[in-house]
Amino acid sequence: MREHAIAAIPADGIGPEVISAGLEVLNTLSRKMGAFRLNVQTFPWGSDYYKKHGFMMPPNGLDLLRPFAAIYFGAVGAPDVPDHITLWGLRLAICQGFDQYVNLRPTRILRGLASPLRACKPGDLDWAIVRENSEGEYAGHGGRAHRGLPEEVATETSIFTRSGVTRIMRFAFQLAQKRPRKLLTVVTKSNAQRHGMVLWDEIAAEVAKEFPDVAWDKMLVDAMTTRMVGKPASIDTVVATNLHADILTDLAAALAGSLGIAPTANLDPLRRFPSMFEPIHGAAFDITGKGIANPIGAFWTAALMLEHLGETDASVRLMEAIETVTASGIHTPDLGGRATTREVTSAVCDAF
Ligand code: IPM
Ligand code: MG
């Protein structure tokens, strides 16, 4: 029996609801397959923990997580704690501390779901968006001076390093090469941002030479939004900076049907540290505790985690079960249905 140690961090908002649903589905799958077992340890970190202890996770949090094969993460954010504290105290602290430099966000229209785009058929939208996850606009470089005075100043400097850009480009080209269409779009803004983004473009062109079989194009981020809406079938694999891809992946999720279904893998491709898997949707206070959060994002995320753990069969079976349920019309309210988190979870467990 293969065993994998998983650290679960359900954290805030609907995080605990969808992570417990995800663990139930994973445990059912592992029981039915009998090929692997997940040893899950749950960490009570997040905004409530912050209100008691003054930090989102203990100072030795990364040391506690290091031995695990993967981290299964819910969401962070609370109405009464500033967002930059919750984010930098937990999620970004883990992403950056473990150098999870790839944020991979696959998007497609699952069976039984529809895009809000009238002309978009399911096969027209099948994207893998690669988000640079260690630097760029989220580098945390900057500061404030002269607080409260009329001359107060704040800077937020984007950082683009040759090594950082090269490794994300290589990952994106390799991923594009593995996908049937071998097509990569490099998103940029080098018309306006003439330093970092020009380096980004130059390195894209350099790395492209290592992948002569991958067709690639370059697209300004603003034009990319209109292409995603107007010509979704012209897109396959995409690579973009931390902030650009943050925005594009929300758009992508909405175009595929709902923010509630979209998954994320924060990867250290070199496997020096655990990678972290989380649904894209966030804390969603408006529906917290109502039992109607869509657990599909957490399930699809779990499928990415299984793939990372080498449990490819299990990952495929989980995606199959998810799509059996989406196709059967058992949908939570974000997808226009009336099903609860519980009902969707039971239906996926029954579909194995
Ligand atoms: C995401 C989220 C986060 C981000 C938020 C919660 C800060 O929007 O994972 O896309 O911007 O990275
Ligand atoms: Mg986002």
Side-chain angles (χ1 to χ4, degrees), residues 91 105 131 138 245-247 249-250 259 280:
R91 186 177 165 278
R105 296 184 160 175
R131 171 178 180 184
Y138 281 58
D246 174 42
I247 299 162
T249 51
D250 265 27
L259 202 58
I280 200 174

Side-chain angles (χ1 to χ4, degrees), residues 32-306:
K32 292 215 173 159
M33 291 184 68
F36 68 94
R37 191 164 44 219
L38 302 179
N39 295 325
V40 179
Q41 186 178 337
T42 300
F43 292 86
W45 303 339
S47 296
D48 286 342
Y49 188 92
Y50 174 81
K51 287 179 219 158
K52 274 193 225 116
H53 302 276
F55 30 69
M56 294 287 290
M57 67 173 171
N60 65 340
L62 292 184
D63 293 330
L64 298 175
L65 293 174
R66 210 182 306 268
F68 289 86
I71 302 163
Y72 192 36
F73 191 91
V76 277
D80 50 353
V81 184
D83 283 340
H84 64 273
I85 291 183
T86 54
L87 184 69
W88 281 94
L90 192 59
R91 186 177 165 278
L92 283 181
I94 296 171
C95 287
Q96 300 203 347
F98 285 159
D99 202 19
Q100 295 163 344
Y101 64 86
V102 173
N103 181 302
L104 179 61
R105 296 184 160 175
T107 314
R108 64 186 171 79
I109 302 174
L110 300 179
R111 287 203 296 276
L113 302 188
S115 170
L117 298 174
R118 238 178 307 125
C120 185
K121 299 180 295 302
D124 291 346
L125 198 163
D126 184 353
W127 303 335
I129 304 183
V130 177
R131 171 178 180 184
E132 202 294 316
N133 210 32
S134 66
E135 52 178 33
E137 309 85 346
Y138 281 58
H141 197 81
R144 286 176 68 171
H146 314 304
R147 285 197 185 231
L149 298 174
E151 54 273 24
E152 181 164 5
V153 55
T155 59
E156 190 81 48
T157 307
S158 297
I159 303 286
F160 292 95
T161 64
R162 177 166 283 282
S163 58
V165 177
T166 303
R167 65 186 184 175
I168 200 67
M169 289 297 169
R170 279 217 177 99
F171 183 91
F173 273 95
Q174 272 159 6
L175 180 67
Q177 195 175 45
K178 281 190 236 142
R179 289 170 56 94
R181 293 174 68 191
K182 300 189 191 304
L183 180 64
L184 176 69
T185 300
V186 176
V187 174
T188 184
K189 191 64 196 177
S190 49
N191 55 347
Q193 298 184 301
R194 58 192 176 155
H195 307 295
M197 290 280 79
V198 173
L199 177 68
W200 173 268
D201 289 4
E202 284 171 11
I203 294 174
E206 280 169 35
V207 172
K209 294 200 190 106
E210 300 167 21
F211 300 86
D213 57 334
V214 175
W216 71 287
D217 59 15
K218 208 168 71 182
M219 196 90 209
L220 296 173
V221 64
D222 45 349
M224 187 65 180
T225 59
T226 60
R227 179 167 164 193
M228 286 166 70
V229 172
K231 290 191 180 151
S234 73
I235 299 167
D236 186 76
T237 311
V238 176
V239 61
T241 69
N242 217 328
L243 180 62
H244 290 167
D246 174 42
I247 299 162
L248 296 180
T249 51
D250 265 27
L251 175 59
L255 294 177
S258 168
L259 202 58
I261 59 166
T264 298
N266 296 288
L267 300 172
D268 168 24
L270 305 177
R271 293 178 183 262
R272 299 158 298 173
F273 304 105
S275 291
M276 179 160 72
F277 300 82
E278 54 169 346
I280 200 174
H281 50 60
F285 313 120
D286 51 331
I287 56 163
T288 299
K290 294 190 174 157
I292 55 163
N294 191 344
I296 298 288
F299 297 164
W300 192 346
T301 293
L304 295 180
M305 182 165 78
L306 288 170

